[in-house]
DNA sequence: CTTGAGTGTTGGAACGTTCCAATCGTTTCG
DNA sequence: CGAAACGATTGGAACGTTCCAACACTCAAG
């Protein structure tokens, strides 16, 4: 039940270990007869190459390590898909570790990968501080996805959230909205640029007096709270731009219980384009991030760094896309003021 | 920018490599002064142990490999959480690979782990045929999660889907339903036991004449199709048990467009208790699988097998839990001429 | 017939650890 | 005072590969 080694195979096939090694690496300077004998022996013994030994002597593993902060967010699944694809095409393999949004565990997850001597490291939306990425970048190329990381040795792939927010406001203004509020994501990553994008865009449309931004969060409850505080104070907005889809669902919940109709009374926009947003009972207008492309891009950056170390970091910023569904429409007719639900 | 080795550290600290090794492994037979010197040197050089070398000589990696079929299903995230937790507590680490529901890629994912010489392998809802698991089990303990795998060398952790389906029917019957239909999951794993559980339970309630099972699938579209065919032929059921949440959402979509109200006209039940099912606009009654526990259990099984190889496989079957929400209620009118259950 | 250039094949030296047996000081004790 | 016991430290032999230099052959050209 133990593992057969190259030597066992060599003995079985009646050749030297070197020849077995050559066959395993698909060398073309092996005679067909020896090749066959070796393959047969290998099969018989259930031989499996030992990656540890190979990594050891070759001084590289041909593996890219990916640290993911949280597998619960389906967002990451697509990113990882993109990574896997690009990494596989380049003849590398990828392995993942998780940190569950806990700094210490993320640090451990990264350490595990580095100790395994991955040839490159991709950190997807890390929660842990950037020191960890910088430290890692001392021994291996590192790319951070989803979190702007200004460091001279760490590449990054992010989404242009400011621009995404701008597209949302453009869409709402085009529909005729003016009183557009924002429920932000609190302290989470991505919150700040979305908020900034909101205010800038409002100003661009000459709506600086309508700017109204309240504290929310990236959770359903966060969205609910934000919406409640919006309804409790000041004039009711005709549209709300929420920090992400999950929070937007919380907003819808509040609006439903308040008897307000979406989008007749109020339009709601989320962010992330989760599959939930697409569900017909929600039909949430939202912003799609090119998740797959972000992953692919991240992989290409690490692979490029492995091939050809650069002295300056690359920072790729991809563009989001507005996805219009049923949660947005024209504001309640301005002539009649506010329409009431029966 | 290269990796420092134990020898570099030894030189820097003015001691032997063996001593450095002892310090790294937290031996207690090292004098405090040498320990400090070594740690300082290690820090200065940014030393990181080389897992490949260690694995090599120790003939074990202290790593558990996890192959996940599909990261898109949030179901798996919880399972992995459970695995990570149990594995970590036992002093092991875990690494993941994915196969994206493609047999060949799953096989590669498994091979990657085995070549890295993981000490144990957990396959979560593999799509690849069981031969792959059996083969792997020749060199390392293997546990399959979510798919019944009858093989003498492969452990498994599954959910009692038949029982889960039974709980659904019990709940519906208790509400007064008799005409309960089932939309199945097609050929996917888990489909068959849920269907069987449905029919058995119907019979148990003396409703064998009401049994009506149509082909659906584990996707939104699959559910929609199933519902359409239910509505197109025969008397309309007062309740529908759908193979999973996603398909149930497809069912809701059809009912909405047909102008049928849930649960007033018809009750709908899903399976899996995805976060989507909990969303207020859906409020789907569903069956929760103890995902976290399944992961933990799987980890405990591999770890036990590593410690103490068993000659016979263990098959753990966990119990699901009914989660009642707003998509189920009493049938439209009390069924005339028939007594309700007390 | 000798040389030179291929073909195939081979042993040996790494790679960075762990672990064992051996060594070197000290201290304790008879 | 010598031996024994102990604590701290050390060199060397693995572990399973890769890769290089070297080696046999065979065959063509000189």
């Amino acid at each position: 039940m133990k593992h057969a080694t190259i030597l066992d195979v060599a003995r079985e096939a009646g050749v030297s270990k070197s020849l077995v090694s050559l066959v395993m690496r698909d060398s073309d300077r092996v005679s067909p007869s020896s090749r066959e004998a070796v393959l047969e022996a290998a099969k018989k013994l259930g031989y499996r190459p030992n990656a540890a030994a190979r990594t050891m002597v070759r001084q590289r593993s041909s593996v890219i390590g990916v640290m993911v902060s949280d597998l619960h967010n389906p967002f990451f699944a697509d990113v990882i898909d993109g990574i896997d694809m690009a990494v596989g095409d380049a003849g590398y393999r990828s392995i993942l570790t998780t940190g569950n949004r806990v700094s210490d565990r993320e640090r451990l997850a990264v350490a595990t990968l580095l100790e395994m001597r991955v040839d490159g490291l991709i950190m997807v939306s890390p929660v842990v501080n950037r020191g960890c990425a910088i430290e890692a970048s001392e021994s291996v190329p590192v790319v951070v996805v989803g979190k702007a990381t200004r460091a001279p040795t760490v590449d990054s792939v992010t989404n242009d959230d400011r621009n995404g927010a701008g597209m949302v406001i453009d869409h709402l203004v085009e529909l005729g909205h003016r009183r557009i509020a924002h429920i932000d994501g609190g302290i989470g990553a991505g919150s700040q640029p979305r908020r900034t994008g909101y205010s800038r865009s409002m100003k661009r449309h000459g709506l600086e007096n309508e700017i109204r931004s309240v504290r929310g969060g990236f959770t359903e409850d966060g969205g609910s709270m934000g919406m409640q505080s919006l309804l409790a104070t000041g004039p009711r907005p005709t549209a709300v731009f929420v920090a992400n889809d999950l929070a937007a669902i919380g907003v819808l919940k509040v609006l439903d219980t308040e008897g307000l109709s979406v989008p007749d009374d109020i339009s709601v926009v989320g962010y992330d384009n989760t599959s939930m947003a697409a569900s017909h009972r929600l039909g949430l207008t939202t912003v799609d991030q090119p998740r797959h492309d972000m992953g692919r891009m991240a992989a290409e950056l690490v692979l490029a760094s492995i091939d050809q170390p650069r002295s300056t970091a690359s920072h790729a910023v991809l563009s989001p896309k507005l996805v219009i569904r049923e949660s947005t429409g024209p504001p309640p007719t301005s002539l009649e003021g506010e329409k009431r639900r029966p």
Side-chain angles (χ1 to χ4, degrees), chain A:
Chain A
M1 184 94 46
K2 277 279 58 74
H3 286 275
T5 77
I6 214 176
L7 269 143
D8 299 323
V9 176
R11 198 175 314 119
E12 176 75 26
V15 297
S16 74
K17 65 174 186 9
S18 304
L19 187 52
V20 177
S21 173
L22 286 173
V23 172
M24 289 306 152
R25 285 175 290 138
D26 245 359
S27 164
D28 54 356
R29 47 183 59 190
V30 178
S31 72
S33 63
S34 328
R35 157 163 284 122
E36 198 181 342
V38 167
L39 289 178
E40 193 181 335
K43 179 158 215 170
K44 180 175 169 197
L45 299 178
Y47 171 76
R48 232 180 251 284
N50 182 324
R54 173 181 300 165
T55 296
M56 183 102 204
V57 55
R58 303 195 54 193
Q59 296 287 79
R60 60 207 201 83
S61 57
S62 297
V63 171
I64 301 297
V66 182
M67 197 288 290
V68 196
S69 65
D70 183 9
L71 288 176
H72 291 85
N73 192 334
F75 173 83
F76 299 130
D78 286 327
V79 173
I80 293 167
D81 258 14
I83 293 176
D84 273 2
M85 210 126 284
V87 159
D89 288 350
Y92 281 75
R93 297 182 177 190
S94 57
I95 63 177
L96 306 178
T97 54
T98 5
N100 264 313
R101 298 199 161 279
V102 180
S103 277
D104 280 348
R105 292 186 57 193
E106 287 195 8
R107 233 183 291 273
L108 183 68
V110 167
T112 300
L113 294 172
L114 293 178
E115 289 177 13
M116 289 191 145
R117 293 297 187 265
V118 293
D119 290 344
L121 175 67
I122 298 176
M123 298 170 71
V124 185
S125 292
V127 166
V128 67
N129 61 40
R130 59 185 213 148
C132 181
I134 293 173
E135 216 170 282
S137 73
E138 276 162 27
S139 45
V140 93
V142 176
V143 178
V144 171
V145 178
K147 193 173 168 188
T149 306
R150 292 264 157 240
T153 55
V154 178
D155 291 349
S156 75
V157 176
T158 51
N159 199 263
D160 192 347
D161 282 348
R162 229 147 64 182
N163 188 14
M167 293 162 74
V168 170
I169 306 310
D170 289 353
H171 167 61
L172 290 171
V173 167
E174 206 166 303
L175 284 170
H177 292 273
R178 294 177 55 82
R179 209 180 302 142
I180 304 168
H182 176 55
I183 298 176
D184 80 3
I187 52 166
S191 168
Q192 198 250 320
R194 289 172 202 181
R195 190 173 47 235
T196 314
Y198 160 76
S199 350
R200 287 210 191 175
S201 191
M202 288 294 277
K203 282 183 198 142
R204 186 156 38 76
H205 285 289
L207 297 174
E208 46 270 275
N209 297 327
E210 302 285 0
I211 291 178
R212 187 140 165 251
S213 192
V214 301
R215 168 61 63 103
F218 280 138
T219 63
E220 198 171 320
D221 285 346
S224 294
M225 275 173 35
M227 194 63 227
Q228 270 154 355
S229 76
L230 274 180
L231 289 176
T233 63
R236 190 210 300 152
T238 63
V240 188
F241 165 42
V242 195
N244 76 351
D245 287 352
L246 206 54
I249 288 171
V251 167
L252 291 178
K253 188 183 220 158
V254 170
L255 294 177
D256 281 357
T257 56
E258 293 287 328
L260 291 166
S261 149
V262 175
D264 295 340
D265 292 326
I266 190 166
S267 288
V268 176
V269 182
Y271 208 106
D272 276 355
N273 193 27
T274 56
S275 61
M276 224 186 266
S279 147
H280 81 288
R281 285 211 180 177
L282 295 176
L284 192 66
T285 293
T286 186
V287 178
D288 184 65
Q289 305 189 47
R291 307 179 258 227
H292 199 274
D293 288 345
M294 289 173 79
R296 196 178 39 70
M297 178 67 87
E300 282 167 6
L301 284 177
V302 238
L303 292 170
S305 282
I306 292 170
D307 254 29
Q308 165 84 56
R310 275 166 284 121
S311 56
T312 124
S314 305
H315 299 283
V317 179
L318 304 187
S319 289
K321 218 177 68 195
L322 187 66
V323 179
I324 299 173
R325 294 207 182 87
E326 298 81 46
S327 70
T328 48
T333 39
S334 35
L335 307 175
E336 302 173 33
E338 286 170 359
K339 224 197 233 164
R340 296 199 57 192
R341 265 167 70 89

